[in-house]
Amino acid sequence: TPLNRLLLTGAAGGLGKVLRETLRPYAKIIRLSDIAPMDARTGDYEEVVQCNLADKAAVHALCEGVDAIVHFGGVSVERPFEEILEANIKGVFHIYEASRKHGIKRVIFASSNHVIGFHKQTETIDASAPRRPDSYYGLSKSYGEDMASFYFDRYGIETVSIRIGSSFPEPLNRRMMATYLSYRDLTNLIERSLFTPNVKHTVVYGASANRDQWWDNRMAAHLGFEPQDTSEVFREKIEQQPPYAPNDPALIYQGGAFCEAGPFDD
Ligand code: 15L
């Protein structure tokens, strides 16, 4: 049975635009929010609400009447700390506080591989590996996972934190041959995350069934996520790109170029 009302934050973003369509079967009403303007609603099943995640009162109003939240809002790349603080750190706090006040029991959090980005590509890690954030962005996602853990232990609000690899129509470079997550696999993973009972706070890596695997999802086996797609179909095209220099972080670290972003001087 679908949910009554699902909130999707970040609905104007790269993944939000996709999920606006693909999550439709899972709720009678999908409420869409973003700080940026969105396309007008396309039917009675959509509600479109422009909202700044840094605005506590606005997020509180946004979450009223919602059964579950798919939280994809916030800054999705490395930026100066002050920008990350508003959208991602204050934003995730506002989402959980609103969930507590409105009795919302399930959050799907768009975490990122950049939480563990300074692990080497030669390692295979699971959800218990020490976090090694590679950026202020990665730090904010690490904080979001801690927020999820705290709100479960303290208030019983369940979260699936998806450490998304690289979710684009196709891999854009050699590193993404390992991190690629197809839109279909992303959607299936969110569906499993919404409807699997008793997830507590589960951390799951979001990658398709790619040849080279850096991530072990056995600690999230209860989700029953089985990726259907693979980056192999893009290999010929991607291998036309020049190889990385031996010292390129895109060749060394799981987080790739994020590991050398910044510093940001005023
Ligand atoms: C992310 O977290 C970013 O949002 C996305 O733009 C990609 O850069 C991705 O990680 C990646 O690591 O490829």
Side-chain angles (χ1 to χ4, degrees):
T1 45
L3 300 161
N4 191 37
R5 188 185 274 102
L6 180 68
L7 169 62
L8 171 65
T9 70
L15 296 180
K17 278 189 195 135
V18 172
L19 297 175
R20 178 175 182 168
E21 304 305 324
T22 63
L23 295 182
R24 192 185 293 180
Y26 306 119
K28 294 194 192 97
I29 298 169
I30 181 161
R31 183 175 292 169
L32 306 160
S33 83
D34 206 287
I35 195 169
M38 289 154 284
D39 292 339
R41 70 177 191 162
T42 58
D44 285 343
Y45 55 87
E46 284 188 338
E47 297 172 344
V48 175
V49 185
Q50 210 170 337
C51 177
N52 179 355
L53 292 170
D55 180 340
K56 188 176 193 178
V59 175
H60 184 85
L62 178 69
C63 294
E64 191 175 354
V66 160
D67 303 301
I69 302 176
V70 176
H71 181 43
F72 275 58
V75 174
S76 69
V77 292
E78 180 62 332
R79 298 294 301 157
F81 177 74
E82 291 78 4
E83 283 178 48
I84 300 282
L85 174 64
E86 294 301 312
N88 294 24
I89 295 181
K90 291 183 187 174
V92 78
F93 166 63
H94 295 155
I95 288 289
Y96 279 96
E97 265 301 272
S99 296
R100 178 182 67 77
K101 288 189 180 145
H102 292 299
I104 301 165
K105 300 308 265 176
R106 181 73 59 103
V107 177
I108 314 307
F109 175 52
S111 186
S112 171
N113 73 88
H114 297 290
V115 168
I116 50 80
F118 264 114
H119 283 278
K120 296 263 177 68
Q121 293 183 8
T122 50
E123 296 173 69
T124 304
I125 58 175
D126 66 16
S128 69
R131 285 178 273 182
R132 300 186 73 174
D134 59 21
S135 49
Y136 300 119
Y137 167 71
L139 280 164
S140 76
K141 295 299 186 183
S142 182
Y143 183 79
E145 292 185 7
D146 283 337
M147 186 73 72
S149 181
F150 168 67
Y151 272 82
F152 175 70
D153 289 335
R154 178 68 181 80
Y155 300 111
I157 297 170
E158 294 192 308
T159 297
V160 177
S161 290
I162 306 178
R163 290 184 181 165
I164 301 171
S166 306
S167 199
F168 297 99
E170 49 187 81
L172 303 174
N173 54 48
R174 289 170 179 267
R175 168 181 165 274
M176 291 188 192
M177 289 300 290
T179 58
Y180 173 67
L181 174 66
S182 72
Y183 292 155
R184 176 167 68 160
D185 287 337
L186 171 65
T187 300
N188 286 338
L189 180 49
I190 294 173
E191 189 252 330
R192 298 307 307 140
S193 301
L194 281 169
F195 297 109
T196 301
N198 197 28
V199 293
K200 304 186 178 76
H201 175 220
T202 297
V203 171
V204 63
Y205 291 94
S208 287
N210 307 326
R211 185 191 73 184
D212 301 320
Q213 294 283 331
W214 301 338
W215 305 321
D216 174 344
N217 264 336
R218 275 177 294 187
M219 294 178 76
H222 51 283
L223 295 179
F225 169 55
E226 285 179 10
Q228 302 300 305
D229 296 313
T230 173
S231 62
E232 273 312 289
V233 295
F234 304 106
R235 180 169 298 283
E236 234 183 77
K237 182 173 175 189
I238 291 298
E239 289 190 347
Q240 285 165 22
Q241 296 182 8
Y244 296 123
N247 62 342
D248 190 329
L251 185 64
I252 300 171
Y253 297 112
Q254 297 193 356
F258 280 60
C259 294
E260 63 175 5
F264 299 95
D265 291 312
D266 293 320

